[in-house]
Amino acid sequence: MANVIDITGLPPERVVFTPSPLAELGAALHALSEPGHHPGLHGWVTATNAALKTDLADRLCEADILWRSSRSDILLPARPGATLAEDLDELDKIGDERFVAAAFEITCSPRYTRPTPSPLVDAGERARIREMAAARGPRQAAFTDRMLTDPDGLRVWLRRLFEDCEEAFFGDIWRRVGIQLAADARHKTELLRRKGLAETLSATSRALWLEDAQDRSGNSGNSGNSGNSGNSSNGSTRIVLDKLAQGRTTAFADPADPGVTFLPTSFGWPHLVFAHAQGWRPVLQYPVASPELPAPAALELVQQRLEALGHPMRMQLCRTLSRGPHSTGELAEAFGITSPEVSRHIATLKKAGLIQTRRRGRYVLHQLDLQVVARLGSDFLEGVLR
């Protein structure tokens, strides 16, 4: 599975890398509400939550339906400003129906990829959103009811909440990380100009790549990844995001403002957040590169490794191979199976990258790659959170 952005015919200058104060605030609020997703931010989360005034903490709890499980589209501007106030000013310009529909684009429902009516005018959509909010808790349900019955009042309330966050903690954060994010965006923009989009995507995240019709035919490019991407018409060019979720959009989704916007974040890892609602310009928020962050494993490889380990005999073989190198003959004798059977299991484990093999004289010895196996759990977690 993958997310795909069709960029066929899109001028290069329409691919934009730029920081967004509002998107970074959304990422910070998500980290505060879901610290388990971000173990590297444990110290900051603990200190910030402890310093929050009770009133602000309570209001954040009311509105966390907008950023806790998924990130609301209103927190990912396609044309960010230089300050939080500028981002919020642009948000204020959106009409109520569009704003409320975007605010509640926070569910994994397949409805996200299809045009849906505004909950302000459609009873069925309104009931669906209320049911979704009720599952998150009474405060979140009350917040949702207020948004549906008094959108103007709630929008004022929400802006004040974000401004209070800026005063309480985000202003200091943005002064510190805004420079880093702007530098990353400038670097990506220059790389895009000099080296092209394919290399820029690779430098942005190993979970991103550029794919064209020739790549999908298996003649060049990311042919090893093309199986994740589904079918498309010949001659098209697209950006592929290696995510368990599946979605499809075009850079021309908003005819008035075609393009793709990339927003760097210092709070985002392991998430690669993708907003692609119908009629909205695609926006992708990516974590800035950091030496201590592990490179993401391809989801296809993670799945292959889990499937390889799912067989009882291969689990038994791994137990023995974790203790040291063994030949095929030794393993066959130890487990009472034939050498060809052992070879087939070893081939599956080796194809998944779980086995190291070396020759010693006339013997071929196999051993479990402990580092790869040790990382499998974190690869899986990073993959499902991505």
Side-chain angles (χ1 to χ4, degrees), residues 101 105 109-119 122 125 128 278:
E105 291 290 6
S109 168
R111 289 170 178 263
Y112 182 77
T113 59
R114 304 196 304 265
T116 55
S118 167
D122 185 84
E125 185 68 6
R128 184 183 73 86
Q278 286 283 333

Side-chain angles (χ1 to χ4, degrees), residues 32-50:
L32 288 174
S33 60
E34 285 288 357
H37 291 189
H38 307 275
L41 299 174
H42 177 74
W44 175 81
V45 167
T46 301
T48 303
N49 275 328

Side-chain angles (χ1 to χ4, degrees), residues 38-308:
H38 307 275
L41 299 174
H42 177 74
W44 175 81
V45 167
T46 301
T48 303
N49 275 328
L52 289 178
K53 293 182 178 178
T54 303
D55 173 67
L56 179 56
D58 287 344
R59 285 185 288 150
L60 287 175
C61 181
E62 286 182 61
D64 73 358
I65 194 173
L66 300 181
W67 55 76
R68 183 166 199 142
S69 298
S70 302
R71 205 78 52 80
S72 170
D73 285 357
I74 65 170
L75 300 175
L76 295 162
R79 288 292 185 185
T83 66
L84 181 62
E86 290 180 15
D87 276 353
L88 295 177
D89 287 344
E90 288 302 309
L91 206 56
D92 287 343
K93 296 177 183 178
I94 301 175
D96 282 348
E97 288 186 15
R98 190 174 173 95
F99 180 92
V100 172
F104 292 113
E105 291 290 6
I106 50 176
T107 173
C108 59
S109 168
R111 289 170 178 263
Y112 182 77
T113 59
R114 304 196 304 265
T116 55
S118 167
L120 294 182
V121 297
D122 185 84
E125 185 68 6
R126 188 159 57 248
R128 184 183 73 86
I129 286 174
R130 281 187 163 130
E131 182 178 357
M132 181 178 65
R136 307 292 174 87
R139 287 184 174 183
Q140 291 76 10
F143 171 84
T144 301
D145 276 337
R146 290 168 63 195
M147 178 70 83
L148 294 174
T149 57
D150 182 20
D152 289 336
L154 234 293
R155 291 177 66 167
V156 171
W157 182 93
L158 193 59
R159 175 167 184 142
R160 179 59 185 271
L161 174 66
F162 293 152
E163 290 170 343
D164 288 348
C165 287
E166 182 178 36
E167 182 178 348
F169 63 89
F170 184 70
D172 291 337
I173 290 172
W174 187 249
R175 282 187 288 273
R176 174 169 52 84
V177 307
I179 297 172
Q180 175 195 11
L181 300 184
D184 185 87
R186 285 195 301 271
H187 169 68
K188 297 296 191 307
T189 301
E190 181 62 16
L191 190 63
L192 179 63
R193 186 184 68 81
R194 292 187 295 106
K195 300 290 188 177
L197 183 56
E199 191 161 332
T200 305
L201 293 175
S202 179
T204 301
S205 171
R206 285 177 58 184
L208 292 169
W209 63 86
L210 188 67
E211 189 177 78
D212 58 27
Q214 187 179 18
D215 295 332
R216 293 192 291 281
S217 70
N219 295 328
S220 66
N222 286 288
S223 57
N225 290 320
S226 61
N228 291 334
S229 309
N231 299 318
S232 70
S233 59
N234 292 332
S236 63
T237 303
R238 58 198 196 174
I239 298 170
V240 181
L241 293 73
D242 190 24
K243 289 172 65 75
L244 280 173
Q246 195 164 17
R248 188 178 301 272
T249 189
T250 169
F252 298 89
D254 181 358
D257 187 26
V260 183
T261 300
F262 290 82
L263 308 175
T265 172
S266 60
F267 284 89
W269 188 87
H271 305 305
L272 195 60
V273 181
F274 180 36
H276 57 101
Q278 286 283 333
W280 289 71
R281 178 174 178 159
V283 178
L284 193 147
Q285 188 182 45
Y286 65 95
V288 294
S290 178
E292 64 272 13
L293 295 183
L299 294 175
E300 185 179 17
L301 180 58
V302 174
Q303 181 179 351
Q304 185 180 18
R305 287 174 173 170
L306 292 172
E307 290 174 350

